[in-house]
């Protein structure tokens, strides 16, 4: 992430800084990731790998809405999450662990974190899907227990205020 994102993270709680570090580490460790987003159960972007989205939070907002691949990814992840949860309920399939959308020009992975929060990853077509899924599982395992309602609120406020 860029320097403004890093300096902004230092004003956050240690838990929020840790989540930023985990996200940065995920992006660094996994080749082929194009965009990563952590989304709350109500569809709001909590964390982003996209420096443009993080930096845009510092800019005045326009009527045209959110910009950047992670903001778009958050919208898609939220919709896919809702759709798959509904499908699982209709099919008595239990909880959703992971959804993968394989496309000609890439892949989309959605994994449940906790309390309805989701991790979404848009990856390049040449990515190793098993590595992506494994690393996402590690992120979820590490982030799930700290993503409390209080921390989700702090992350939302951070994205909204541009801290």
């Amino acid at each position: 992430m860029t320097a403004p994102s890093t300096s902004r993270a230092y004003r956050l709680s240690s838990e929020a800084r840790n989540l930023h570090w985990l996200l940065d580490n995920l992006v660094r460790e996994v080749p082929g990731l194009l965009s990563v987003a952590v989304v709350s159960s109500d569809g709001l972007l909590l964390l982003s790998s996209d420096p443009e989205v993080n930096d845009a939070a510092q800019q005045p907002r326009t009527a045209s809405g959110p910009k950047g691949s992670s903001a778009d990814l958050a919208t898609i992840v939220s919709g896919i999450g809702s759709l798959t949860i509904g499908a699982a309920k209709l099919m008595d399939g239990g909880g959703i662990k992971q959804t993968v959308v394989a496309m000609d020009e890439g892949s989309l992975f959605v994994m449940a974190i906790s309390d309805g929060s989701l991790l979404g990853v848009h990856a390049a077509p040449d990515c190793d899907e098993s590595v992506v899924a494994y690393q996402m599982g590690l992120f979820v395992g590490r982030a799930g227990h700290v993503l409390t309602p209080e921390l989700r609120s702090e992350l939302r406020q951070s994205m909204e205020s541009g801290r």
Side-chain angles (χ1 to χ4, degrees), residues 9-20 151 154 163:
Y10 285 111
R11 290 182 255 160
L12 298 173
S13 68
S14 61
E15 293 85 3
R17 288 192 311 270
N18 187 40
L19 282 178
H20 279 277
L151 184 54
E154 178 184 357
R163 280 192 285 163

Side-chain angles (χ1 to χ4, degrees), residues 140-160:
V140 166
R142 294 171 180 152
H145 69 281
V146 297
L147 200 52
T148 62
E150 295 81 15
L151 184 54
R152 285 192 299 273
S153 177
E154 178 184 357
L155 292 169
R156 275 187 220 155
Q157 289 174 354
S158 172
M159 290 300 287
E160 289 171 2

Side-chain angles (χ1 to χ4, degrees), residues 16 21 36 41 61 70 79 94 120 133 152:
W21 180 86
V36 180
S41 60
R61 297 181 187 265
S70 291
R152 285 192 299 273

Side-chain angles (χ1 to χ4, degrees), residues 6-158:
T6 304
S7 64
R8 182 172 49 250
Y10 285 111
R11 290 182 255 160
L12 298 173
S13 68
S14 61
E15 293 85 3
R17 288 192 311 270
N18 187 40
L19 282 178
H20 279 277
W21 180 86
L22 287 171
L23 185 78
D24 289 344
N25 193 51
L26 175 67
V27 171
R28 274 193 313 273
E29 295 293 319
V30 183
L33 297 190
L34 302 173
S35 185
V36 180
V38 175
V39 182
S40 67
S41 60
D42 52 359
L44 296 175
L45 183 61
L46 298 177
L47 284 173
S48 167
S49 67
D50 189 350
E52 291 177 13
V53 171
N54 294 323
D55 293 341
Q58 295 178 337
Q59 304 299 321
R61 297 181 187 265
T62 63
S64 62
K67 299 289 183 201
S69 57
S70 291
D72 294 339
L73 179 61
T75 302
I76 294 164
V77 165
S78 179
I80 287 175
S82 294
L83 180 64
T84 55
I85 289 168
K89 285 180 183 176
L90 286 172
M91 297 177 192
D92 293 327
I96 299 295
K97 295 179 182 177
Q98 182 178 27
T99 303
V100 179
V101 178
M103 302 171 281
D104 289 338
E105 298 301 322
S107 299
L108 173 66
F109 300 82
V110 179
M111 188 176 283
I113 298 176
S114 64
D115 296 337
S117 297
L118 301 166
L119 172 63
V121 170
H122 177 212
D126 61 345
C127 76
D128 185 335
E129 292 183 4
S130 61
V131 171
V132 173
Y134 175 76
Q135 292 291 336
M136 286 177 71
L138 290 178
F139 178 93
V140 166
R142 294 171 180 152
H145 69 281
V146 297
L147 200 52
T148 62
E150 295 81 15
L151 184 54
R152 285 192 299 273
S153 177
E154 178 184 357
L155 292 169
R156 275 187 220 155
Q157 289 174 354
S158 172

